[in-house]
Coordinates of all heavy atoms in Angstrom, one line a residue:
M1 N 0.8 -1.2 0.0 CA 0.0 0.0 0.0 C 0.9 1.2 0.0 O 1.7 1.5 0.9 CB -0.9 0.0 1.3 CG -1.8 1.2 1.4 SD -3.2 1.1 0.3 CE -3.9 2.8 0.5
Q2 N 0.7 2.1 -1.0 CA 1.5 3.3 -1.1 C 0.8 4.4 -0.3 O -0.4 4.5 -0.2 CB 1.6 3.7 -2.6 CG 2.5 2.9 -3.4 CD 2.6 3.4 -4.8 OE1 1.6 3.8 -5.5 NE2 3.8 3.6 -5.3
T3 N 1.7 5.3 0.2 CA 1.1 6.5 0.9 C 0.6 7.4 -0.2 O 1.0 7.3 -1.3 CB 2.2 7.2 1.8 OG1 3.2 7.7 0.9 CG2 2.8 6.2 2.8
L4 N -0.2 8.4 0.3 CA -0.7 9.4 -0.6 C 0.4 10.1 -1.3 O 0.4 10.4 -2.5 CB -1.6 10.3 0.1 CG -2.3 11.4 -0.7 CD1 -3.2 10.8 -1.8 CD2 -3.1 12.4 0.1
R5 N 1.5 10.5 -0.6 CA 2.6 11.2 -1.2 C 3.3 10.4 -2.2 O 3.6 10.9 -3.3 CB 3.6 11.5 -0.1 CG 3.2 12.8 0.7 CD 4.2 13.1 1.7 NE 3.6 13.9 2.7 CZ 4.2 14.3 3.9 NH1 5.4 13.9 4.2 NH2 3.5 15.0 4.8
Q6 N 3.4 9.1 -2.0 CA 4.1 8.2 -3.0 C 3.2 8.1 -4.2 O 3.7 8.1 -5.4 CB 4.3 6.8 -2.4 CG 5.4 6.7 -1.4 CD 5.4 5.4 -0.7 OE1 4.4 4.8 -0.5 NE2 6.6 5.0 -0.2
Q7 N 1.9 8.1 -4.0 CA 1.0 8.0 -5.2 C 1.0 9.3 -6.0 O 1.0 9.3 -7.2 CB -0.5 7.8 -4.7 CG -0.7 6.4 -4.1 CD -2.1 6.2 -3.7 OE1 -3.0 6.3 -4.5 NE2 -2.3 6.1 -2.4
I8 N 1.1 10.5 -5.3 CA 1.2 11.7 -6.0 C 2.5 11.8 -6.8 O 2.5 12.1 -8.0 CB 1.2 12.9 -5.0 CG1 -0.2 13.0 -4.3 CG2 1.5 14.2 -5.7 CD1 -0.3 14.0 -3.2
I9 N 3.6 11.4 -6.2 CA 4.9 11.4 -6.9 C 4.8 10.5 -8.1 O 5.3 10.9 -9.2 CB 6.0 10.9 -5.9 CG1 6.3 12.0 -4.9 CG2 7.3 10.6 -6.7 CD1 7.2 11.6 -3.7
R10 N 4.2 9.3 -8.0 CA 4.2 8.4 -9.1 C 3.4 9.0 -10.3 O 3.8 8.9 -11.4 CB 3.5 7.1 -8.6 CG 3.8 5.9 -9.6 CD 3.3 4.6 -9.0 NE 1.9 4.7 -8.4 CZ 0.8 4.6 -9.1 NH1 0.9 4.4 -10.4 NH2 -0.4 4.8 -8.6
L11 N 2.2 9.6 -9.9 CA 1.4 10.2 -11.0 C 2.2 11.4 -11.7 O 2.1 11.5 -12.9 CB 0.1 10.8 -10.4 CG -0.9 9.7 -10.0 CD1 -2.1 10.4 -9.3 CD2 -1.5 9.0 -11.3
L12 N 2.9 12.1 -10.9 CA 3.6 13.3 -11.5 C 4.9 12.9 -12.2 O 5.4 13.7 -13.0 CB 4.0 14.3 -10.4 CG 2.8 15.0 -9.7 CD1 3.3 16.0 -8.6 CD2 1.9 15.7 -10.7
Q13 N 5.3 11.7 -12.1 CA 6.4 11.2 -12.9 C 5.9 10.8 -14.3 O 6.7 10.9 -15.2 CB 7.1 9.9 -12.2 CG 8.0 10.3 -11.1 CD 8.7 9.0 -10.6 OE1 8.1 8.3 -9.8 NE2 9.9 8.8 -11.0
E14 N 4.6 10.5 -14.3 CA 4.1 10.1 -15.6 C 3.8 11.3 -16.5 O 4.0 11.3 -17.7 CB 2.8 9.2 -15.4 CG 3.2 7.8 -15.0 CD 1.9 7.1 -14.4 OE1 0.8 7.4 -14.8 OE2 2.1 6.1 -13.7
K15 N 3.1 12.3 -15.9 CA 2.8 13.5 -16.6 C 2.5 14.6 -15.7 O 2.3 14.4 -14.5 CB 1.6 13.3 -17.6 CG 0.3 12.8 -16.9 CD -0.8 12.7 -17.9 CE -2.0 12.2 -17.3 NZ -3.2 12.1 -18.2
A16 N 2.5 15.9 -16.3 CA 2.3 17.1 -15.5 C 0.8 17.1 -15.2 O -0.1 17.0 -16.1 CB 2.7 18.3 -16.3
L17 N 0.4 17.4 -13.9 CA -1.0 17.5 -13.5 C -1.1 18.7 -12.6 O -0.2 19.1 -11.9 CB -1.4 16.2 -12.8 CG -1.4 14.9 -13.5 CD1 -1.6 13.7 -12.6 CD2 -2.6 14.9 -14.5
D18 N -2.3 19.2 -12.6 CA -2.6 20.3 -11.6 C -3.3 19.6 -10.4 O -3.6 18.4 -10.4 CB -3.5 21.4 -12.2 CG -4.8 20.9 -12.7 OD1 -5.2 19.8 -12.4 OD2 -5.5 21.7 -13.4
T19 N -3.5 20.4 -9.3 CA -4.0 19.8 -8.1 C -5.4 19.3 -8.2 O -5.8 18.3 -7.6 CB -4.0 20.9 -6.9 OG1 -4.7 22.0 -7.3 CG2 -2.6 21.2 -6.5
L20 N -6.2 19.9 -9.2 CA -7.5 19.4 -9.4 C -7.5 18.0 -10.0 O -8.2 17.1 -9.5 CB -8.3 20.4 -10.3 CG -9.8 19.9 -10.7 CD1 -10.6 19.9 -9.4 CD2 -10.3 20.9 -11.7
A21 N -6.7 17.8 -11.0 CA -6.5 16.5 -11.6 C -6.0 15.5 -10.6 O -6.5 14.3 -10.5 CB -5.6 16.5 -12.8
L22 N -5.0 15.9 -9.8 CA -4.5 15.0 -8.7 C -5.6 14.6 -7.7 O -5.7 13.5 -7.3 CB -3.3 15.6 -8.0 CG -2.0 15.7 -8.8 CD1 -1.0 16.6 -8.0 CD2 -1.4 14.3 -8.9
S23 N -6.4 15.6 -7.3 CA -7.4 15.3 -6.3 C -8.4 14.4 -6.9 O -8.9 13.5 -6.1 CB -8.0 16.6 -5.8 OG -8.9 17.1 -6.8
Q24 N -8.7 14.5 -8.2 CA -9.7 13.6 -8.8 C -9.1 12.2 -8.9 O -9.8 11.2 -8.7 CB -10.2 14.2 -10.1 CG -11.1 15.4 -9.9 CD -11.4 16.1 -11.2 OE1 -10.7 15.9 -12.2 NE2 -12.3 17.0 -11.2
A25 N -7.9 12.1 -9.3 CA -7.3 10.8 -9.5 C -7.1 10.0 -8.2 O -7.2 8.8 -8.3 CB -5.9 11.0 -10.2
L26 N -6.9 10.7 -7.1 CA -6.7 10.1 -5.9 C -7.8 10.1 -4.9 O -7.8 9.6 -3.8 CB -5.4 10.7 -5.2 CG -4.1 10.5 -6.1 CD1 -3.0 11.4 -5.5 CD2 -3.7 9.1 -6.1
A27 N -8.9 10.8 -5.4 CA -10.2 10.9 -4.5 C -9.9 11.5 -3.2 O -10.3 11.0 -2.1 CB -10.8 9.5 -4.4
V28 N -9.1 12.6 -3.2 CA -9.0 13.4 -2.0 C -9.3 14.9 -2.3 O -9.3 15.2 -3.5 CB -7.5 13.3 -1.4 CG1 -7.2 11.9 -1.0 CG2 -6.5 13.8 -2.4
R29 N -9.4 15.7 -1.3 CA -9.7 17.1 -1.5 C -8.4 17.8 -2.1 O -7.3 17.4 -1.7 CB -10.2 17.8 -0.2 CG -11.6 17.3 0.1 CD -12.0 17.9 1.5 NE -11.0 17.5 2.4 CZ -10.5 18.4 3.3 NH1 -10.8 19.6 3.4 NH2 -9.6 18.0 4.2
E30 N -8.6 18.8 -2.9 CA -7.5 19.6 -3.4 C -6.6 20.2 -2.3 O -5.4 20.2 -2.4 CB -8.0 20.8 -4.3 CG -8.0 20.5 -5.8 CD -8.3 21.8 -6.5 OE1 -9.5 22.1 -6.6 OE2 -7.4 22.3 -7.1
K31 N -7.3 20.6 -1.2 CA -6.6 21.2 -0.1 C -5.5 20.2 0.4 O -4.4 20.6 0.8 CB -7.6 21.5 1.0 CG -7.1 21.7 2.4 CD -6.8 23.2 2.6 CE -6.4 23.5 4.0 NZ -5.2 22.9 4.5
E32 N -5.9 18.9 0.4 CA -4.9 17.9 0.9 C -3.7 17.8 0.0 O -2.6 17.6 0.5 CB -5.7 16.5 1.0 CG -5.6 15.9 2.3 CD -6.4 14.6 2.3 OE1 -7.6 14.6 2.2 OE2 -5.7 13.5 2.5
I33 N -4.0 17.9 -1.3 CA -2.9 17.8 -2.2 C -1.9 19.0 -2.0 O -0.7 18.9 -1.9 CB -3.4 17.9 -3.7 CG1 -4.4 16.8 -4.0 CG2 -2.2 17.9 -4.7 CD1 -3.8 15.4 -4.2
H34 N -2.5 20.2 -1.8 CA -1.8 21.4 -1.5 C -0.8 21.2 -0.3 O 0.3 21.6 -0.3 CB -2.6 22.7 -1.2 CG -3.5 23.1 -2.4 ND1 -4.5 24.0 -2.3 CD2 -3.4 22.7 -3.7 CE1 -5.1 24.1 -3.4 NE2 -4.4 23.4 -4.3
D35 N -1.4 20.6 0.8 CA -0.7 20.4 2.0 C 0.5 19.5 1.8 O 1.5 19.6 2.5 CB -1.6 19.8 3.1 CG -2.6 20.8 3.5 OD1 -2.5 22.0 3.2 OD2 -3.6 20.4 4.2
H36 N 0.4 18.5 0.9 CA 1.4 17.6 0.7 C 2.6 18.1 -0.2 O 3.7 17.6 -0.2 CB 0.9 16.3 0.1 CG 0.2 15.4 1.0 ND1 0.9 14.8 2.0 CD2 -1.1 15.0 1.2 CE1 0.0 14.0 2.8 NE2 -1.2 14.2 2.3
L37 N 2.2 19.0 -1.1 CA 3.2 19.5 -2.1 C 4.6 19.9 -1.6 O 5.6 19.5 -2.1 CB 2.6 20.6 -3.0 CG 1.7 20.1 -4.1 CD1 1.0 21.2 -4.8 CD2 2.3 19.2 -5.1
P38 N 4.6 20.8 -0.5 CA 5.9 21.1 0.0 C 6.7 20.0 0.5 O 8.0 19.9 0.3 CB 5.6 22.1 1.2 CG 4.2 22.5 1.0 CD 3.5 21.4 0.2
H39 N 6.1 19.0 1.1 CA 6.8 17.8 1.6 C 7.3 16.9 0.4 O 8.4 16.3 0.5 CB 5.8 17.0 2.5 CG 5.3 17.7 3.6 ND1 6.0 18.0 4.8 CD2 4.1 18.3 3.8 CE1 5.3 18.7 5.6 NE2 4.1 18.9 5.0
I40 N 6.4 16.9 -0.6 CA 6.8 16.2 -1.8 C 8.1 16.8 -2.5 O 9.0 16.1 -2.8 CB 5.6 16.1 -2.8 CG1 4.6 15.1 -2.2 CG2 6.1 15.6 -4.2 CD1 3.3 15.1 -2.9
A41 N 8.0 18.1 -2.5 CA 9.2 18.8 -3.1 C 10.4 18.5 -2.4 O 11.5 18.2 -3.0 CB 8.9 20.4 -3.1
K42 N 10.4 18.4 -1.0 CA 11.5 18.2 -0.2 C 12.0 16.7 -0.4 O 13.2 16.5 -0.6 CB 11.2 18.4 1.3 CG 12.0 19.5 1.9 CD 11.7 19.6 3.4 CE 11.3 21.0 3.7 NZ 10.7 21.1 5.0
S43 N 11.0 15.8 -0.4 CA 11.4 14.4 -0.5 C 12.0 14.0 -1.9 O 12.9 13.3 -2.0 CB 10.3 13.4 0.0 OG 9.6 12.9 -1.1
V44 N 11.4 14.7 -2.9 CA 11.9 14.4 -4.2 C 13.3 15.0 -4.4 O 14.2 14.4 -4.9 CB 10.9 15.1 -5.3 CG1 11.6 15.1 -6.7 CG2 9.7 14.3 -5.4
A45 N 13.5 16.2 -3.8 CA 14.8 16.8 -3.9 C 15.9 16.0 -3.1 O 17.0 15.9 -3.6 CB 14.8 18.3 -3.3
G46 N 15.5 15.4 -2.0 CA 16.3 14.6 -1.2 C 16.8 13.3 -1.9 O 17.8 12.7 -1.6
R47 N 16.0 12.9 -2.9 CA 16.4 11.8 -3.7 C 17.0 12.1 -5.1 O 17.1 11.3 -6.0 CB 15.1 10.9 -3.9 CG 14.7 10.2 -2.7 CD 13.2 9.9 -2.7 NE 12.8 9.0 -3.8 CZ 11.5 8.8 -4.2 NH1 10.6 9.4 -3.5 NH2 11.3 8.1 -5.2
G48 N 17.4 13.4 -5.2 CA 18.1 13.9 -6.4 C 17.2 14.3 -7.6 O 17.6 14.6 -8.7
G49 N 15.9 14.4 -7.3 CA 14.9 14.8 -8.3 C 14.5 16.2 -8.1 O 15.0 17.0 -7.3
R50 N 13.4 16.6 -8.8 CA 12.9 17.9 -8.7 C 11.4 17.9 -8.9 O 10.9 17.2 -9.8 CB 13.6 18.8 -9.8 CG 13.5 20.2 -9.6 CD 14.5 20.9 -10.6 NE 13.8 21.3 -11.8 CZ 13.1 22.4 -12.0 NH1 13.0 23.3 -11.0 NH2 12.6 22.7 -13.1
L51 N 10.7 18.7 -8.1 CA 9.3 19.0 -8.4 C 9.2 20.3 -9.2 O 9.5 21.4 -8.7 CB 8.5 19.2 -7.1 CG 7.0 19.5 -7.2 CD1 6.3 18.3 -7.8 CD2 6.4 19.8 -5.9
A52 N 9.0 20.1 -10.5 CA 8.9 21.2 -11.4 C 7.5 21.8 -11.5 O 6.5 21.0 -11.3 CB 9.4 20.8 -12.8
M53 N 7.4 23.1 -11.7 CA 6.1 23.7 -11.7 C 6.0 24.5 -13.0 O 6.8 25.3 -13.4 CB 5.9 24.6 -10.5 CG 4.5 25.0 -10.4 SD 4.3 25.9 -8.8 CE 4.9 27.5 -9.2
Q54 N 4.9 24.2 -13.7 CA 4.6 24.9 -15.0 C 3.6 26.0 -14.5 O 2.6 25.7 -14.0 CB 4.0 24.0 -15.9 CG 4.0 24.3 -17.4 CD 3.3 23.1 -18.1 OE1 3.6 21.9 -17.9 NE2 2.4 23.5 -19.0
P55 N 3.9 27.3 -14.8 CA 3.1 28.4 -14.2 C 1.7 28.4 -14.5 O 1.3 27.9 -15.6 CB 3.8 29.6 -14.7 CG 4.9 29.3 -15.5 CD 5.0 27.8 -15.6
A56 N 0.8 28.8 -13.6 CA -0.6 29.0 -13.8 C -0.9 30.1 -14.7 O 0.0 31.0 -14.9 CB -1.3 29.2 -12.5
H57 N -2.0 30.1 -15.4 CA -2.4 31.3 -16.1 C -3.9 31.5 -15.9 O -4.7 30.6 -15.5 CB -2.0 31.2 -17.6 CG -2.7 30.2 -18.4 ND1 -2.1 29.0 -18.6 CD2 -3.9 30.1 -18.9 CE1 -3.0 28.2 -19.3 NE2 -4.1 28.9 -19.5
C58 N -4.3 32.8 -16.2 CA -5.7 33.2 -16.0 C -6.5 32.9 -17.3 O -6.1 33.2 -18.4 CB -5.8 34.7 -15.7 SG -7.4 35.4 -15.8
E59 N -7.6 32.2 -17.1 CA -8.4 31.9 -18.3 C -9.2 33.1 -18.8 O -9.5 33.1 -20.0 CB -9.5 30.8 -17.8 CG -10.1 30.0 -19.0 CD -11.0 29.0 -18.5 OE1 -11.5 29.1 -17.4 OE2 -11.3 28.1 -19.3
G60 N -9.4 34.1 -18.0 CA -10.1 35.3 -18.4 C -9.2 36.1 -19.3 O -9.7 36.5 -20.4
C61 N -8.0 36.5 -18.9 CA -7.2 37.4 -19.7 C -5.9 36.9 -20.2 O -5.2 37.6 -20.9 CB -7.0 38.7 -18.9 SG -5.8 38.5 -17.6
G62 N -5.5 35.7 -19.8 CA -4.3 35.1 -20.2 C -3.1 35.4 -19.4 O -2.0 35.0 -19.7
F63 N -3.3 36.2 -18.3 CA -2.2 36.6 -17.5 C -1.4 35.3 -17.0 O -2.0 34.4 -16.5 CB -2.7 37.4 -16.3 CG -1.6 37.8 -15.3 CD1 -0.9 38.9 -15.5 CD2 -1.4 37.0 -14.1 CE1 0.1 39.3 -14.6 CE2 -0.4 37.4 -13.2 CZ 0.3 38.5 -13.5
K64 N -0.1 35.4 -17.1 CA 0.7 34.2 -16.6 C 1.4 34.6 -15.2 O 1.9 35.6 -15.1 CB 1.8 34.0 -17.6 CG 1.4 33.0 -18.7 CD 2.6 32.3 -19.3 CE 2.2 31.0 -20.0 NZ 1.8 31.3 -21.4
F65 N 1.3 33.6 -14.3 CA 1.8 33.8 -13.0 C 3.3 33.4 -12.9 O 3.6 32.5 -12.1 CB 1.0 33.0 -12.0 CG -0.4 33.5 -11.8 CD1 -1.4 33.1 -12.7 CD2 -0.7 34.4 -10.8 CE1 -2.7 33.6 -12.5 CE2 -2.0 34.8 -10.6 CZ -3.0 34.5 -11.5
K66 N 4.1 34.0 -13.8 CA 5.5 33.6 -13.9 C 6.3 33.8 -12.6 O 7.2 33.0 -12.2 CB 6.2 34.3 -15.0 CG 6.0 33.7 -16.3 CD 6.8 34.4 -17.4 CE 6.4 33.9 -18.8 NZ 6.5 34.9 -19.8
E67 N 6.1 34.9 -11.9 CA 7.0 35.3 -10.8 C 6.7 34.5 -9.6 O 7.4 34.6 -8.6 CB 6.7 36.8 -10.5 CG 6.8 37.7 -11.7 CD 8.2 38.2 -12.0 OE1 8.8 38.7 -11.0 OE2 8.7 38.0 -13.0
R68 N 5.6 33.7 -9.6 CA 5.2 33.1 -8.4 C 6.2 32.0 -7.9 O 6.5 31.2 -8.6 CB 3.8 32.5 -8.6 CG 3.1 32.2 -7.3 CD 1.7 31.7 -7.7 NE 1.0 31.3 -6.4 CZ 0.4 32.1 -5.6 NH1 0.3 33.4 -5.9 NH2 -0.1 31.7 -4.5
R69 N 6.5 32.2 -6.6 CA 7.5 31.2 -6.0 C 6.8 30.1 -5.2 O 7.3 29.0 -5.0 CB 8.4 31.9 -5.1 CG 9.3 32.9 -5.8 CD 10.7 32.2 -6.1 NE 11.6 33.1 -6.8 CZ 12.5 33.9 -6.3 NH1 12.6 33.9 -5.0 NH2 13.3 34.6 -7.1
R70 N 5.6 30.5 -4.6 CA 5.0 29.5 -3.7 C 4.4 28.4 -4.6 O 4.1 28.5 -5.7 CB 3.8 30.2 -3.0 CG 4.3 31.2 -1.9 CD 3.1 31.9 -1.3 NE 2.1 31.0 -0.9 CZ 0.8 31.3 -0.7 NH1 0.4 32.5 -1.0 NH2 -0.1 30.4 -0.3
L71 N 4.2 27.3 -3.9 CA 3.8 26.1 -4.6 C 2.3 26.0 -4.8 O 1.7 25.5 -5.7 CB 4.2 24.8 -3.9 CG 5.7 24.4 -4.0 CD1 6.0 23.3 -3.0 CD2 5.9 23.8 -5.4
S72 N 1.6 26.7 -3.9 CA 0.1 26.6 -3.9 C -0.4 27.5 -5.1 O 0.2 28.5 -5.4 CB -0.5 27.1 -2.6 OG -0.1 28.4 -2.4
P73 N -1.5 27.1 -5.6 CA -2.1 27.9 -6.8 C -2.6 29.2 -6.3 O -3.1 29.4 -5.2 CB -3.2 27.0 -7.2 CG -3.1 25.7 -6.5 CD -2.3 26.0 -5.3
P74 N -2.5 30.2 -7.2 CA -3.1 31.6 -6.9 C -4.6 31.4 -6.9 O -5.1 30.6 -7.6 CB -2.5 32.4 -8.0 CG -2.2 31.5 -9.1 CD -1.8 30.2 -8.5
S75 N -5.3 32.3 -6.2 CA -6.7 32.2 -6.2 C -7.4 33.2 -7.1 O -8.5 33.0 -7.5 CB -7.2 32.3 -4.8 OG -6.8 33.5 -4.2
R76 N -6.7 34.3 -7.4 CA -7.3 35.3 -8.2 C -6.3 36.0 -9.1 O -5.1 36.1 -8.8 CB -7.9 36.4 -7.2 CG -9.2 36.9 -7.6 CD -9.9 37.4 -6.3 NE -9.4 38.7 -6.0 CZ -10.0 39.8 -6.1 NH1 -11.2 39.8 -6.6 NH2 -9.5 40.9 -5.7
C77 N -6.8 36.4 -10.3 CA -5.9 37.1 -11.2 C -5.7 38.5 -10.8 O -6.6 39.3 -10.5 CB -6.5 37.1 -12.6 SG -5.6 38.0 -13.8
P78 N -4.4 39.0 -10.7 CA -4.1 40.4 -10.3 C -4.5 41.4 -11.4 O -4.7 42.5 -11.1 CB -2.6 40.4 -10.0 CG -2.1 39.3 -10.8 CD -3.2 38.2 -10.9
R79 N -4.6 40.9 -12.6 CA -4.9 41.9 -13.7 C -6.4 42.1 -13.9 O -6.9 43.2 -13.9 CB -4.3 41.4 -15.0 CG -4.3 42.4 -16.0 CD -3.2 42.2 -17.0 NE -3.5 41.2 -18.0 CZ -2.6 40.7 -18.9 NH1 -1.4 41.2 -19.0 NH2 -3.0 39.8 -19.7
C80 N -7.2 41.0 -14.0 CA -8.6 41.1 -14.3 C -9.5 40.7 -13.2 O -10.7 40.7 -13.3 CB -9.0 40.4 -15.6 SG -9.0 38.6 -15.4
K81 N -8.9 40.2 -12.0 CA -9.6 39.8 -10.8 C -10.5 38.5 -11.0 O -11.3 38.2 -10.2 CB -10.5 40.9 -10.3 CG -9.8 42.3 -10.1 CD -8.7 42.2 -9.2 CE -8.0 43.6 -9.1 NZ -6.6 43.4 -8.7
S82 N -10.3 37.9 -12.1 CA -11.0 36.6 -12.4 C -10.5 35.5 -11.4 O -9.3 35.5 -11.1 CB -10.9 36.2 -13.8 OG -11.2 34.8 -14.0
N83 N -11.3 34.6 -11.0 CA -10.8 33.5 -10.2 C -10.8 32.2 -11.1 O -10.6 31.1 -10.5 CB -11.6 33.3 -9.0 CG -13.1 33.1 -9.2 OD1 -13.5 32.9 -10.4 ND2 -13.9 33.1 -8.2
R84 N -10.9 32.4 -12.4 CA -10.7 31.2 -13.3 C -9.3 31.0 -13.6 O -8.8 31.5 -14.6 CB -11.6 31.4 -14.5 CG -13.1 31.3 -14.2 CD -13.9 31.6 -15.5 NE -13.5 32.8 -16.0 CZ -13.7 33.2 -17.3 NH1 -14.1 32.3 -18.2 NH2 -13.3 34.4 -17.8
I85 N -8.6 30.4 -12.7 CA -7.1 30.2 -12.8 C -6.9 28.7 -13.2 O -7.4 27.8 -12.6 CB -6.4 30.5 -11.5 CG1 -6.8 31.9 -11.0 CG2 -4.9 30.4 -11.7 CD1 -6.4 33.0 -11.8
L86 N -6.1 28.6 -14.3 CA -5.8 27.2 -14.7 C -4.3 26.9 -14.3 O -3.4 27.7 -14.4 CB -5.8 27.1 -16.3 CG -7.2 27.4 -16.9 CD1 -7.2 27.2 -18.4 CD2 -8.2 26.4 -16.3
G87 N -4.1 25.7 -13.7 CA -2.8 25.3 -13.3 C -2.6 25.9 -11.9 O -3.5 26.3 -11.2
P88 N -1.4 25.9 -11.4 CA -0.1 25.4 -12.1 C -0.1 23.9 -12.2 O -0.8 23.2 -11.5 CB 1.0 25.9 -11.2 CG 0.4 26.0 -9.8 CD -1.1 26.4 -10.1
W89 N 0.7 23.4 -13.1 CA 0.9 22.0 -13.3 C 2.2 21.6 -12.7 O 3.2 22.3 -12.8 CB 0.8 21.7 -14.8 CG -0.5 21.9 -15.4 CD1 -1.5 21.0 -15.5 CD2 -1.0 23.2 -15.9 NE1 -2.6 21.6 -16.0 CE2 -2.4 22.9 -16.3 CE3 -0.5 24.4 -16.0 CZ2 -3.2 23.9 -16.9 CZ3 -1.3 25.4 -16.6 CH2 -2.6 25.2 -17.0
Y90 N 2.2 20.4 -12.0 CA 3.4 20.0 -11.4 C 3.9 18.7 -12.1 O 3.1 17.9 -12.6 CB 3.0 19.6 -9.9 CG 2.4 20.8 -9.2 CD1 1.0 20.9 -9.1 CD2 3.2 21.7 -8.6 CE1 0.5 22.0 -8.5 CE2 2.6 22.8 -7.9 CZ 1.3 22.9 -7.9 OH 0.7 24.0 -7.2
R91 N 5.2 18.5 -12.0 CA 5.8 17.4 -12.6 C 7.0 17.0 -11.8 O 7.8 17.8 -11.4 CB 6.1 17.7 -14.1 CG 6.9 16.7 -14.8 CD 6.2 16.2 -16.0 NE 6.6 14.8 -16.2 CZ 6.5 14.1 -17.3 NH1 6.2 14.8 -18.4 NH2 6.9 12.9 -17.4
V92 N 7.2 15.7 -11.6 CA 8.4 15.2 -10.9 C 9.4 14.7 -11.9 O 9.0 13.8 -12.8 CB 8.0 14.1 -9.9 CG1 9.3 13.4 -9.4 CG2 7.2 14.7 -8.7
T93 N 10.6 15.2 -11.9 CA 11.6 14.8 -12.8 C 12.9 14.4 -12.1 O 13.1 14.8 -11.0 CB 12.0 15.9 -13.8 OG1 12.4 17.1 -13.1 CG2 10.8 16.4 -14.7
G94 N 13.7 13.7 -12.8 CA 15.0 13.4 -12.3 C 15.1 12.2 -11.3 O 16.2 12.0 -10.7
L95 N 14.1 11.5 -11.0 CA 14.1 10.4 -10.0 C 14.5 9.1 -10.8 O 14.1 8.9 -11.9 CB 12.8 10.2 -9.3 CG 12.4 11.2 -8.3 CD1 11.2 10.7 -7.6 CD2 13.5 11.4 -7.3
Ligands
LIG1 ZN1 -7.0 37.6 -15.7

Protein backbone atom coordinates (compact mmCIF):
# COMPACT_ATOMS: atom_id res chain seq x y z
CA MET A 1 0.00 0.00 0.00
CA GLN A 2 1.50 3.29 -1.11
CA THR A 3 1.10 6.46 0.90
CA LEU A 4 -0.72 9.38 -0.64
CA ARG A 5 2.58 11.18 -1.17
CA GLN A 6 4.06 8.21 -2.99
CA GLN A 7 0.97 8.02 -5.19
CA ILE A 8 1.20 11.74 -6.01
CA ILE A 9 4.89 11.38 -6.90
CA ARG A 10 4.17 8.38 -9.10
CA LEU A 11 1.41 10.23 -11.00
CA LEU A 12 3.62 13.30 -11.46
CA GLN A 13 6.43 11.19 -12.87
CA GLU A 14 4.08 10.06 -15.62
CA LYS A 15 2.80 13.48 -16.62
CA ALA A 16 2.26 17.05 -15.49
CA LEU A 17 -0.97 17.49 -13.52
CA ASP A 18 -2.64 20.28 -11.60
CA THR A 19 -3.99 19.84 -8.10
CA LEU A 20 -7.55 19.40 -9.40
CA ALA A 21 -6.53 16.47 -11.60
CA LEU A 22 -4.51 14.97 -8.73
CA SER A 23 -7.39 15.31 -6.30
CA GLN A 24 -9.72 13.59 -8.75
CA ALA A 25 -7.26 10.81 -9.55
CA LEU A 26 -6.67 10.05 -5.87
CA ALA A 27 -10.15 10.86 -4.54
CA VAL A 28 -8.95 13.39 -1.98
CA ARG A 29 -9.67 17.09 -1.54
CA GLU A 30 -7.51 19.61 -3.41
CA LYS A 31 -6.56 21.15 -0.08
CA GLU A 32 -4.94 17.88 0.92
CA ILE A 33 -2.86 17.85 -2.25
CA HIS A 34 -1.75 21.45 -1.50
CA ASP A 35 -0.67 20.42 2.00
CA HIS A 36 1.44 17.56 0.67
CA LEU A 37 3.22 19.48 -2.11
CA PRO A 38 5.94 21.15 0.02
CA HIS A 39 6.80 17.79 1.60
CA ILE A 40 6.83 16.14 -1.80
CA ALA A 41 9.17 18.84 -3.12
CA LYS A 42 11.54 18.15 -0.21
CA SER A 43 11.44 14.38 -0.46
CA VAL A 44 11.90 14.44 -4.24
CA ALA A 45 14.84 16.85 -3.88
CA GLY A 46 16.34 14.59 -1.22
CA ARG A 47 16.38 11.75 -3.72
CA GLY A 48 18.07 13.87 -6.42
CA GLY A 49 14.94 14.80 -8.34
CA ARG A 50 12.91 17.93 -8.71
CA LEU A 51 9.30 18.98 -8.37
CA ALA A 52 8.93 21.23 -11.40
CA MET A 53 6.11 23.70 -11.74
CA GLN A 54 4.61 24.94 -14.96
CA PRO A 55 3.14 28.36 -14.16
CA ALA A 56 -0.59 28.94 -13.81
CA HIS A 57 -2.44 31.30 -16.10
CA CYS A 58 -5.70 33.19 -16.04
CA GLU A 59 -8.45 31.86 -18.26
CA GLY A 60 -10.06 35.27 -18.38
CA CYS A 61 -7.22 37.44 -19.71
CA GLY A 62 -4.31 35.06 -20.24
CA PHE A 63 -2.17 36.56 -17.46
CA LYS A 64 0.73 34.24 -16.59
CA PHE A 65 1.83 33.78 -12.98
CA LYS A 66 5.53 33.56 -13.87
CA GLU A 67 6.96 35.29 -10.83
CA ARG A 68 5.18 33.11 -8.36
CA ARG A 69 7.46 31.21 -6.02
CA ARG A 70 4.95 29.55 -3.74
CA LEU A 71 3.78 26.07 -4.61
CA SER A 72 0.13 26.63 -3.91
CA PRO A 73 -2.06 27.87 -6.76
CA PRO A 74 -3.04 31.54 -6.89
CA SER A 75 -6.71 32.17 -6.18
CA ARG A 76 -7.30 35.32 -8.20
CA CYS A 77 -5.89 37.10 -11.23
CA PRO A 78 -4.12 40.36 -10.26
CA ARG A 79 -4.93 41.86 -13.67
CA CYS A 80 -8.63 41.11 -14.32
CA LYS A 81 -9.62 39.79 -10.84
CA SER A 82 -11.02 36.61 -12.36
CA ASN A 83 -10.82 33.48 -10.23
CA ARG A 84 -10.74 31.19 -13.23
CA ILE A 85 -7.12 30.19 -12.83
CA LEU A 86 -5.75 27.21 -14.73
CA GLY A 87 -2.85 25.30 -13.27
CA PRO A 88 -0.16 25.44 -12.11
CA TRP A 89 0.87 22.02 -13.30
CA TYR A 90 3.38 19.96 -11.36
CA ARG A 91 5.79 17.35 -12.59
CA VAL A 92 8.38 15.19 -10.89
CA THR A 93 11.60 14.81 -12.85
CA GLY A 94 15.04 13.33 -12.30
CA LEU A 95 14.13 10.39 -10.04
ZN1 LIG B 1 -6.97 37.63 -15.68
